[in-house]
Amino acid sequence: MSRLSRARAELPHPEVGEIDLLEVLHALSDPTRMKIAATLRETAEQLCGTFAVDVAPSTLSHHFRGLREAGVIRQREDGNRRWTSLRREDLQARFPGLLDQIVDHYEHADPGAFR
Amino acid sequence: MSRLSRARAELPHPEVGEIDLLEVLHALSDPTRMKIAATLRETAEQLCGTFAVDVAPSTLSHHFRGLREAGVIRQREDGNRRWTSLRREDLQARFPGLLDQIVDHYEHADPGAFR
C-alpha cells in the first residue's frame, strides 16, 4: 500500500448526535437506497459492488453517499475496496426502533423486493 | 354556490391499499410537510391557510399536494375553503405504528419546532 493511500482521509460521516430524522427519512425514501439498507440488516459488512441492485455504478455511488451523509450507513476503504455497513447501533441510539420499523414495513409491503 | 362549483371533482386521494411506504417517507422528509403532519395530529381538521408555517402560499399548496398524493392527508373543499385532515386511521391500517413513531421522534428531537 502506498503512503498516499494510507494517508487518504476517511470518508465523512455525521456523528450520532448529528443524525437528522428528516435526512434519514429522505435517504430511505428511494427504492435503491431502501434496498441497500434492508440488505445490510442481514449482514455485518458488505463490499460495494456486490449489492443486488439494478442501477449504474455512478448512480449507486450517489445513493451510497446519500445514505452515508444521512448517517444510515458507514463506509470504510480497504486498499481499493470499499466496505459498507449499516449504522444500526447509532440509529437505534438516536431514534430507537425507527429503522427496524421502517424496514420491516418495507419488507412486509413488498415481499418480492429481494427476488 | 354555482352548479359548476357543486359539480367540481373531488381532489384525488390514493386508496388505503395504494399508499406507498417510500412516498410516505418522502412526504415526511421535508420540514414544512412534517410540521403540517405533526400539527394535524393535534386536531381533527384544519383550514388550509391557518398552519403556522413560514412558506409562500404557492409553496404551501405544493406541500399539501405532496402530502395528499402520498396518502398522508385528506383534503376536502367546502365552498371556497379547503379543509385538511391527517389520514391517521388509513395510515395505521396500512403501516401500523409508523406515523406516530416518526412524528414522535421528530417532536422529541426538535422540541422547538412549534415555537
Side-chain angles (χ1 to χ4, degrees):
Chain A
M1 192 186 290
S2 74
R3 182 169 171 176
L4 184 63
S5 70
R6 270 187 286 125
R8 184 165 51 185
E10 282 190 19
L11 294 163
H13 293 83
E15 298 293 325
V16 179
E18 294 170 342
I19 298 176
D20 180 82
L21 177 65
L22 303 186
E23 290 181 22
V24 171
L25 297 179
H26 184 264
L28 295 175
S29 72
D30 173 87
T32 299
R33 293 194 297 266
M34 173 65 91
K35 191 166 181 179
I36 291 168
T39 302
L40 288 170
R41 278 216 303 184
E42 310 302 320
T43 180
E45 201 174 33
Q46 189 162 329
L47 268 180
C48 293
T50 67
F51 288 82
V53 291
D54 190 22
V55 296
S58 61
T59 304
L60 189 55
S61 291
H62 173 77
H63 286 315
F64 279 128
R65 181 176 176 170
L67 286 163
R68 190 179 72 237
E69 292 183 349
V72 177
I73 64 171
R74 187 172 294 284
Q75 292 192 298
R76 67 178 181 89
E77 300 196 321
D78 172 21
N80 288 325
R81 298 183 301 181
R82 186 175 287 188
W83 292 90
T84 300
S85 58
L86 197 61
R87 292 181 68 176
R88 198 161 183 166
E89 290 74 19
D90 289 344
L91 288 165
Q92 179 63 18
R94 184 86 171 108
F95 305 115
L98 183 75
L99 179 76
D100 277 331
Q101 189 178 57
I102 289 174
V103 180
D104 284 347
H105 277 305
Y106 173 72
E107 294 183 342
H108 180 72
D110 187 4
F114 293 97
R115 277 178 207 152
Chain B
M1 190 185 291
S2 72
R3 182 169 170 176
L4 184 64
S5 70
R6 271 188 287 123
R8 185 165 50 186
E10 283 189 19
L11 294 162
H13 294 82
E15 298 292 325
V16 179
E18 294 170 342
I19 297 176
D20 181 81
L21 176 66
L22 302 186
E23 290 180 22
V24 171
L25 297 179
H26 183 262
L28 296 174
S29 72
D30 172 87
T32 300
R33 293 194 297 266
M34 173 65 92
K35 190 165 182 179
I36 291 169
T39 301
L40 288 170
R41 278 215 304 183
E42 310 302 321
T43 179
E45 201 174 32
Q46 188 161 330
L47 268 181
C48 293
T50 67
F51 289 81
V53 291
D54 190 23
V55 296
S58 62
T59 304
L60 190 55
S61 290
H62 173 77
H63 285 316
F64 279 129
R65 181 177 177 169
L67 287 164
R68 192 179 71 237
E69 291 183 348
V72 177
I73 64 170
R74 186 172 295 284
Q75 292 191 300
R76 67 178 181 90
E77 300 196 321
D78 172 22
N80 289 325
R81 297 183 302 181
R82 186 175 287 188
W83 293 89
T84 299
S85 58
L86 197 60
R87 293 182 66 176
R88 200 162 183 165
E89 290 75 19
D90 290 345
L91 288 164
Q92 180 63 19
R94 184 86 170 109
F95 304 116
L98 183 75
L99 180 76
D100 277 330
Q101 189 177 57
I102 289 174
V103 180
D104 284 347
H105 277 304
Y106 172 72
E107 293 184 344
H108 180 72
D110 188 5
F114 292 97
R115 275 177 207 152

